[in-house]
Amino acid sequence: MNDIAENGVKFGRIAVMLPVKDMIRAHDFYCNVLGFRKTFENGNPVGFMILKRDAGELHLTLQPQHKQAHFNVAHMMVDDVDALHALCQQHGLRIIKSLQDKDYGLRAFVFEDPDGNRIDVGQPI
């Protein structure tokens, strides 16, 4: 039995919340390197920010004591995983799992953003 489905609840937008130690550095990385654009910010100093690119959305939250997790915290689907992988290498980001074709139908890799958040990136094969 699925109470939510049976009661007609529909889910809308779900966005990942990434903790960051330095909001300016995170903004610059996601906007200047990955091409997101800021659509909202809150606080003085800014403690929360929404970034969008195409159908993707990220929420950044300022957490000065943030310690990186040793697991993936987000998954991005892109239409050119090879180009994004090359961009990550060009900018000296740590690649956690190398670019490879997976048996579950994705070409994928995992990188760490400047705050150590591990992002899994995939493209359907």
Side-chain angles (χ1 to χ4, degrees), residues 45-112:
V46 176
F48 176 76
M49 187 179 293
I50 297 175
L51 306 176
K52 293 184 180 183
R53 177 171 178 182
D54 307 316
E57 182 172 328
L58 295 174
H59 293 192
L60 305 180
T61 180
L62 183 61
Q63 300 294 317
Q65 304 305 315
H66 168 63
K67 296 200 181 347
Q68 70 186 64
H70 297 288
F71 53 86
N72 301 343
V73 298
H75 179 74
M76 292 182 180
M77 294 296 289
V78 297
D79 66 358
D80 192 342
V81 72
D82 291 275
L84 184 54
H85 182 263
L87 184 67
C88 288
Q89 288 182 313
Q90 175 187 344
H91 285 274
L93 297 173
R94 182 173 175 218
I95 304 296
I96 303 299
K97 291 186 180 178
S98 63
L99 181 63
Q100 56 187 284
D101 293 343
K102 302 293 190 173
D103 59 0
Y104 46 83
L106 290 181
R107 183 161 174 76
F109 75 100
V110 177
F111 75 92
E112 277 186 353

